[in-house]
Amino acid sequence: MAQDGELRLHLRYELEDLCPVVFRKLTDPQELARWWGPDGFSTPSVEIDLRPGGAYRIAMQPPEGELFHLVGEFIEVDPPVGLSYTFRWEDPDPEDRETVVTLSLYDTDVRRSELTLDQGDFATERRRALHEEGWVQGLGKLGEMLASQWD
């Protein structure tokens, strides 16, 4: 087991749109369902009460296997540049613990923004790696969606 503070996930993405559009893609249930999750997963339902203290619940369906959910509460909602929330699985794996996700956005030019993600602390490296894979694939789909609107 790792000590608190040791296992964090940090990602940075350049995206082909400005903060207000990206923030909407991160928080609107219909938009989020289009890109959320690892490759091959679908997102049958997204419920969001977008305010500090508000809750969310996301249903995820793997290509094979049973539907499962992740839930949490919003800590900070600062449109269009910031979002922070708790992240926990319903029926968690014994190696899981609640983490905090912080997303920060800033415009880098007249057509692009940068998204930074920080999540932690994870209980094990295996769980951190699982989240990294999911975020990389999901945010990759978001990046493709944003880039395709400019084609």
Side-chain angles (χ1 to χ4, degrees):
M1 293 299 245
Q3 299 299 315
D4 282 347
E6 290 184 9
L7 289 176
R8 300 197 65 80
L9 176 58
H10 303 281
L11 297 172
R12 181 174 296 171
Y13 274 83
E14 292 283 330
L15 297 167
E16 295 287 327
D17 216 323
L18 299 178
C19 293
V21 173
V22 175
F23 190 87
R24 185 173 51 81
K25 303 275 187 203
L26 296 170
T27 58
D28 177 89
Q30 290 179 332
E31 295 290 343
L32 188 71
R34 293 178 60 204
W35 64 266
W36 183 265
D39 294 344
F41 280 63
S42 64
T43 309
S45 70
V46 178
E47 301 167 21
I48 294 178
D49 180 7
L50 189 62
R51 62 181 175 81
Y56 71 91
R57 187 170 193 247
I58 300 173
M60 296 177 65
Q61 179 67 56
E64 297 177 13
E66 294 184 28
L67 183 78
F68 62 94
H69 296 87
L70 64 105
V71 297
E73 293 80 37
F74 292 100
I75 299 166
E76 181 181 2
V77 178
D78 185 18
V81 296
L83 190 63
S84 181
Y85 52 90
T86 60
F87 185 115
R88 69 183 177 280
W89 301 107
E90 285 186 354
D91 303 321
D93 182 277
E95 292 183 355
D96 280 326
R97 66 167 70 149
E98 183 175 88
T99 59
V100 173
V101 175
T102 301
L103 301 170
S104 302
L105 290 160
Y106 70 93
D107 292 332
T108 56
D109 65 29
V110 297
R111 191 172 128 178
R112 292 177 186 82
S113 60
E114 183 173 287
L115 168 69
T116 59
L117 175 142
D118 177 76
Q119 184 179 5
D121 292 328
F122 293 95
T124 67
E125 175 58 38
R126 189 169 76 88
R127 296 313 283 180
R128 191 199 72 77
L130 178 81
H131 281 256
E132 181 174 19
E133 179 180 17
W135 279 115
V136 166
Q137 292 176 9
L139 290 173
K141 289 185 279 187
L142 174 60
E144 290 171 9
M145 281 174 44
L146 291 168
S148 70
Q149 71 188 1
W150 297 102
D151 293 339

